[in-house]
Structure formats: structure tokens, C-alpha cells
Amino acid sequence: PTVRGILMPLRVVAEFLDETELELTALEAQSTVAAFRDYWRRRSVATYGREPGACAFGRYQLAIGHLLKDARSTGALSVATLDLEGSLGKLAQEYLAFQRAHRGLSRRSLHLHRYYLKALLDYLARFDTSDLINIPLSVLDGFIIELSDRLSRRGLATPVWVLRTFLGYLFFAGHEERDRSKEIALPQTYREMTLPKHLSDSQLEQALTSIDRNTDYGKRDWAIFMLLTCLGLRADEVRLLQLGDLNLEARNLRVDRSKGGGSQVFPLTPPLEQALRIYLEQARPKTDHQAIFVTFQPPVRPFQTGGSISSLVGR
């Protein structure tokens, strides 16, 4: 992210903390982040007269994350202790502390371990036990099968990984006589196992008709949508398109492929040619940048990442 992309959201965060008289440490609580989100939404409505897009809060969350990370690294903010709540029992707490101190797992990974250990304890409670040592494999199989009812095969890999790591720790710490971690099989996944996510024809038509092509934003977004849907380009390929890649007279477009390398020349269908021509002639800001698609808000510049294109489409 650009420095500007971090500093501008942080200015709003600072004003929120000042108005609510909260300390920086409060941002570690999800309730504070939720309160800030409501504050930011009201501020956006008051300033711009409209609700912000569903994906727009992402850059504020990113900025808050950078702020907290920097504050911890400089000592301005103490490293928060992991909330174990005591409900997991001494053994589980020792395991999480081991993962944090000796394996250096991130806070997010630790919370994943905690979440699935808590789920395992809730499952064991049905058998009137909370003993995590020497759990029969048949019980662990039942736990995994129950999770499979709400998780995909790929999603199931995470709790299985947690179980395998936990069983390995029990052996390492001397709580069990043998290492049973290899007895829990990871779910097998296969390429093209499922159809890729896509929009149906009716959903695509609905998305396209939702774009207001009377505005400069709409003309730009329409051209981007047409490139994605007509040519099947990736978001980063659209971002990197240059004016020199487009030949409206010959009705073709050269694209540097993000996978496989090299370039490829695509013919322009009349609707796609019209969308690009309207955007370039009527909506694109005056700028020396050679990227076809640029931002409207000053300073006018090319999109920084393919994620910017994805967020635009998401909105």
C-alpha cells in the first residue's frame, strides 16, 4: 500500500480516538473496531451523502493493523497476551503457549488453534469427558466427520492440521507414549475437483446493468467489466494495460499475461471497442500516466494492485 493509502485512513482513526477519548490499546478490541466502523460510515454519509461500499472498509482495517504492528515493534504498545479464557484447561493453555513461544505462530494462527481445540472440547463433553490425552481415534474421526458437514474439503484441512499438531505436541511433551499425529489423515484435494466460482448469465447481466454509464466512474467501470467478461482477463492484467497496448484502429489489444509469461493479442468486439473508446474519450482524466485505467481522485495515478480492480468489481 502507498504511504498516502495508510496515512489518510489513520487520520480518521486518530480523530475517532480523540472524539471518543480512547487509548490506542482500545483498537485491539473488535468492539472498538466495530464502533469505529459505524463512526466512519456516519462520517462518510455526512461528507459525501452516501454509504461507503462494502469493500471500502478494508483499507481502514489494513491501516489499523499497520498502526498496531508498528506500535508493538517500537514498544509504544505492549504485545497483547493471547486470550485463553481459562476454559480450555491447563493442557490446552500449555500447548498454545508452546506454539507461541517455540514455534512463533502468528496471533491469527493461535486463534485458529484455540477455536478448534474449544470445538473439540465441546464435542468431548457429549461423552462426559474433557480429557485431551489418549482420545480414541474413533472419537477424533467422529469430530472430523461432524466438521465436514459445514466445511469444504479444503476448509477441513485447517482443523485436521490443528489436531495433528496437537497430537504431536502430546507425544513431544510426554503426555502420550507414541506419536499419533500421522494417524490423522489430511483430506485429499484434486485439481478441478469442483467447478470454479462464477456468475450465471443472469447474475452477470444484473451486475452489468447496475453500472451507471452516465458518470465518469461508470464509464470506466463498464470498460473494466467488459474486459473481464469478454476477454477473461485477470484483474492484474487489466491494471497493467498501457495506452500503447490498445489499437482501436486495428481493433486489437495486446495483453501481457500474468501467468505463463509472454503477451497475447486479442481482437476487440464492437461492444468492447465502444466501451473502451467512450471511457478514453469522455471519462479518462488528463494525465501523463500511460496506464489505461487510472484513479479519479487526485493525485491521478494508475491502480496500485490487482486487488484495487477486484475491490472495484466487488463494489
Side-chain angles (χ1 to χ4, degrees):
T2 63
V3 173
R4 179 186 176 89
I6 294 296
L7 291 180
M8 290 185 66
L10 285 183
R11 184 174 63 183
V12 182
V13 173
E15 292 172 359
F16 165 75
L17 292 176
D18 184 56
E19 291 183 19
T20 55
E21 299 183 353
L22 291 174
E23 298 293 333
L24 179 62
T25 54
L27 290 174
E28 294 186 298
Q30 289 300 314
S31 57
T32 304
V33 176
F36 168 70
R37 184 168 189 162
D38 291 336
Y39 166 86
W40 166 72
R41 184 183 293 111
R42 293 194 302 271
R43 179 182 175 131
S44 179
V45 171
T47 305
Y48 304 107
R50 58 180 174 82
E51 288 271 347
C55 302
F57 191 63
R59 60 194 179 109
Y60 285 86
Q61 290 179 306
L62 181 66
I64 291 173
H66 278 286
L67 174 63
L68 294 177
K69 181 179 179 180
D70 184 72
R72 294 189 190 102
S73 65
T74 58
L77 189 65
S78 61
V79 178
T81 58
L82 185 66
D83 180 18
L84 300 177
E85 299 180 2
S87 61
L88 291 185
K90 183 179 179 180
L91 178 60
Q93 292 183 46
E94 290 176 354
Y95 165 71
L96 291 173
F98 174 84
Q99 296 288 56
R100 177 178 52 195
H102 296 281
R103 296 195 60 203
L105 292 192
S106 67
R107 188 175 180 83
R108 179 178 180 276
S109 294
L110 287 170
H111 276 289
L112 280 175
H113 281 259
R114 188 196 184 286
Y115 175 82
Y116 285 113
L117 281 179
K118 181 65 168 62
L120 176 60
L121 281 170
D122 292 342
Y123 182 79
L124 292 176
R126 303 179 195 174
F127 302 92
D128 297 323
T129 181
S130 60
D131 191 358
L132 291 172
I133 300 176
N134 293 317
I135 303 173
L137 289 178
S138 59
V139 175
L140 294 176
D141 284 342
F143 174 63
I144 294 172
I145 291 172
E146 184 170 289
L147 289 176
S148 67
D149 292 337
R150 54 187 175 87
L151 293 176
S152 66
R153 188 177 295 189
R154 293 183 185 276
L156 199 60
T158 299
V160 170
W161 162 63
V162 171
L163 285 180
R164 295 185 70 175
T165 307
F166 180 64
L167 291 177
Y169 169 78
L170 292 179
F171 170 72
F172 172 80
H175 296 292
E176 294 189 357
E177 295 182 354
R178 60 189 180 89
D179 185 1
R180 299 193 298 156
S181 61
K182 300 299 187 294
E183 298 177 18
I184 304 294
L186 286 170
Q188 295 297 312
T189 58
Y190 307 95
R191 189 174 184 180
E192 299 181 355
M193 182 174 64
T194 57
L195 289 174
K197 293 181 180 179
H198 66 285
L199 297 178
S200 66
D201 290 344
S202 60
Q203 289 172 325
L204 178 59
E205 185 65 26
Q206 184 180 1
L208 290 172
T209 55
S210 69
I211 300 174
D212 182 4
R213 285 182 278 168
N214 293 318
T215 66
D216 289 344
Y217 282 92
K219 292 168 184 174
R220 181 195 65 187
D221 296 352
W222 177 260
I224 290 175
F225 258 79
M226 292 296 287
L227 284 168
L228 295 172
T229 57
C230 294
L231 301 184
L233 301 186
R234 296 179 175 87
D236 207 47
E237 292 171 343
V238 172
R239 177 183 74 89
L240 294 173
L241 288 175
Q242 304 292 303
L243 293 174
D245 296 329
L246 178 63
N247 190 333
L248 290 175
E249 300 303 321
R251 293 184 176 179
N252 61 46
L253 176 69
R254 187 180 66 84
V255 179
D256 291 327
R257 304 317 304 260
S258 59
K259 289 190 177 181
S263 61
Q264 187 173 359
V265 177
F266 290 89
L268 298 180
T269 61
L272 177 54
E273 177 195 353
Q274 181 185 30
L276 289 169
R277 191 182 294 274
I278 290 175
Y279 161 67
L280 292 173
E281 295 177 356
Q282 301 179 16
R284 186 177 184 272
K286 302 295 183 182
T287 175
D288 293 333
H289 289 295
Q290 292 302 298
I292 291 180
F293 296 105
V294 295
T295 62
F296 285 107
Q297 295 181 350
V300 174
R301 62 191 186 280
F303 288 103
Q304 299 299 303
T305 65
S308 302
I309 301 294
S310 297
S311 296
L312 181 152
V313 175
R315 289 194 297 271

